[in-house]
Amino acid sequence: MQDLIRAAMGQSRDAFLRQVEVPVLVGEAQRTFSPFQQGQTRLTERRARAPLARELIRRGHQLPVFFLRQTRLGPPDQIRVGRAPENDLCIKDDTVSARHAVFQRDERTGTWVVQDLASMNGTLVNGNRLVVGKPSVLFDGDVITVGNQSFLFFYPQGLFDVLQAELSTL
């Protein structure tokens, strides 16, 4: 994350977007609540815990960043996520299924979606459990939870804008 912060500080938006061409997942701390918790909605609880731009900058050296790039053969613009090594993004965590979820770019709109692949522990977007096989459109700052691992999703331009907004106030 530190490299992306430095790039946002020292480059124009166009230069940043040439360097960061694909969406990113910024790792968060492990989820500390049960997906079946009663009371306050999971969405409001999760959003309250999601790091803001200031938090991304303050904790940047601690937050891993994963670029949504295809590393294995498969359908274009489709990034497979799971515990097994044949995934594009391999997450070594027993709460993540071998084939857990897939991110896919919609060629028509340029937006990205995530879809659960009938994983054991499910995939959540902003605390809402996805229906198996039904894609969910992603927006900047969405919290994606795969097993016990949570990530913030950003399009390259959204990440630049978030970082720039905060850096300009420092």
Side-chain angles (χ1 to χ4, degrees), residues 4-47:
L4 294 175
I5 293 168
R6 274 192 288 280
M9 286 174 48
Q11 297 180 19
S12 70
R13 181 184 175 112
D14 288 339
F16 183 87
L17 296 180
R18 280 192 300 274
Q19 180 180 342
V20 183
E21 298 176 311
V22 297
V24 298
L25 298 176
V26 179
E28 286 194 298
Q30 281 193 329
R31 190 176 68 212
T32 57
F33 64 93
S34 163
F36 301 104
Q37 182 174 338
Q38 298 295 319
Q40 183 180 20
T41 66
R42 291 184 307 260
L43 176 61
T44 56
E45 180 179 66
R46 194 66 194 131
R47 279 287 190 198

Side-chain angles (χ1 to χ4, degrees), residues 38-154:
Q38 298 295 319
Q40 183 180 20
T41 66
R42 291 184 307 260
L43 176 61
T44 56
E45 180 179 66
R46 194 66 194 131
R47 279 287 190 198
R49 291 185 185 178
L52 302 172
R54 185 175 306 266
E55 190 70 9
L56 286 174
I57 291 169
R58 188 177 70 75
R59 292 185 39 222
H61 64 286
Q62 300 170 337
L63 302 175
V65 174
F66 304 95
F67 294 87
L68 288 182
R69 284 197 180 102
Q70 196 170 32
T71 60
R72 309 279 187 215
L73 289 177
D77 289 330
Q78 189 177 81
I79 294 27
R80 294 167 293 172
V81 178
R83 192 178 66 243
E86 64 267 7
N87 290 292
D88 298 298
L89 177 55
C90 183
I91 302 172
K92 299 198 183 293
D93 182 320
D94 289 340
T95 64
V96 176
S97 295
R99 293 184 61 237
H100 199 101
V102 65
F103 289 87
Q104 183 147 6
R105 183 178 172 274
D106 182 328
E107 285 183 33
R108 203 172 27 85
T109 63
T111 58
W112 282 77
V113 298
V114 63
Q115 181 176 328
D116 185 72
L117 298 175
S119 63
M120 180 64 82
N121 292 315
T123 303
L124 287 76
V125 176
N126 297 326
N128 298 310
R129 190 179 185 104
L130 297 182
V131 174
V132 173
K134 185 174 183 210
S136 178
V137 176
L138 297 172
F139 299 93
D140 288 319
D142 279 348
V143 179
I144 313 296
T145 305
V146 178
N148 279 343
Q149 302 299 314
S150 291
F151 307 91
L152 288 169
F153 174 88
F154 288 100

